Amino acid sequence: MWVILTVALYWGFDTKSIGQKKELASRALSGTQVDVGPIINTAKESLAVQDLQEINALEGVVEGGAKDTLRVNYLKQLSGKWYKLQEFLIAGHYATLVAETEPTGEHWSIAGTTYIPGIANQDPILSKACFQGAVSALENAISLDPEQINHRVNLALAYTERPPEDNPMKGIQMLLNLDKKHPDELVVLTTLGRLAMKTGQMDRAKERLERAVELDPNYVRAVCLLAELYRQTSDLRADELAEKCELINN
């Protein structure tokens, strides 16, 4: 039932062309095929009383027919609440409702990245649903905002979290292709550096992260990752860079 509801809400919003709406709605439907209703009910059984009361109150407002602007605000709160509770499929579901109500590249990107942590779920059904939700949402973000590299990086990250059996390097290859097209793009360099660290390729990680810091000495993600890499490799520059990481993080 929730899928039908999201489609009805989507078609009620008229800032996009009919053709574009059909394409986005089709992608949303082909994303997660799991009925999230029973999952929400099961998750509620283990909630603290205060959390349950907050969620029920927000749901009541959303289901009470609030105007779109207010409704979107409460949907965002529901998504954020479930995200803090590490129920990423549910959080992604509500973020998707936001994107279907106000279909922008940013909203679809937020929906996609909300699903991504759930790909690591040990339950294969929930993991697959989060992966499908992330991919379909991020593809929507790219179709609406094709020049935004972050959307493409996040889509690649979804594939690195759950590599296709017939193409296990798909996510990495997507990032490498982005690196070829945008060799000085900080988010691409930093993402490749982080993944190289994760797989123990320290020399390659160092090359990419040092390049990112050279391009922008205050790019916090690269600075902090490079500080950690220096620490792990006993580089004498580790303490100095760790101090800088803390400074620009505050």
Side-chain angles (χ1 to χ4, degrees), residues 80-246:
K81 184 69 178 178
W82 282 112
Y83 192 92
K84 289 179 181 178
L85 293 167
Q86 298 187 14
E87 293 286 352
F88 301 113
L89 179 61
I90 302 173
H93 160 67
Y94 283 113
T96 296
L97 291 180
V98 171
E100 289 173 346
T101 306
E102 294 185 356
T104 66
E106 180 182 8
H107 283 160
W108 279 114
S109 179
I110 290 171
T113 54
T114 299
Y115 281 117
I116 286 178
I119 298 174
N121 196 301
Q122 295 301 306
D123 184 316
I125 295 176
L126 297 184
S127 172
K128 182 178 180 180
C130 284
F131 172 74
Q132 291 174 328
V135 169
S136 61
L138 289 165
E139 286 178 346
N140 284 342
I142 291 168
S143 71
L144 290 170
D145 197 1
E147 300 304 315
Q148 176 54 258
I149 292 177
N150 283 347
H151 302 337
R152 299 180 185 275
V153 169
N154 287 326
L155 180 60
L157 285 174
Y159 280 104
T160 65
E161 289 294 320
R162 190 182 172 94
E165 291 184 4
D166 60 345
N167 188 6
M169 294 298 291
K170 180 172 182 174
I172 297 296
Q173 193 58 55
M174 291 168 71
L175 289 168
L176 292 174
N177 288 339
L178 283 173
D179 189 41
K180 288 180 182 178
K181 293 179 181 178
H182 310 279
D184 290 335
E185 180 60 46
L186 293 174
V187 67
V188 177
L189 288 168
T190 305
T191 302
L192 283 168
R194 180 177 66 81
L195 292 174
M197 285 180 65
K198 187 176 179 180
T199 55
Q201 302 176 73
M202 295 305 194
D203 288 342
R204 186 166 294 179
K206 180 181 176 182
E207 177 185 349
R208 296 189 186 282
L209 293 173
E210 286 184 340
R211 175 59 179 159
V213 172
E214 178 185 351
L215 290 167
D216 185 350
N218 293 314
Y219 187 57
V220 63
R221 292 174 61 190
V223 169
C224 295
L225 277 171
L226 187 57
E228 176 60 20
L229 184 148
Y230 284 164
R231 186 191 67 79
Q232 292 184 23
T233 57
S234 301
D235 191 298
L236 295 177
R237 295 168 289 180
D239 289 343
E240 179 182 354
L241 205 59
E243 289 179 5
K244 183 173 183 179
C245 167
E246 184 175 354

Side-chain angles (χ1 to χ4, degrees), residues 9-22 24 68-69 98-105 107-108 144:
L9 288 168
Y10 183 82
W11 289 112
F13 194 79
D14 61 0
T15 62
K16 302 295 175 186
S17 70
I18 295 297
Q20 195 169 33
K21 285 180 180 180
K22 286 181 178 179
L24 296 177
D68 275 353
T69 303
V98 171
E100 289 173 346
T101 306
E102 294 185 356
T104 66
H107 283 160
W108 279 114
L144 290 170

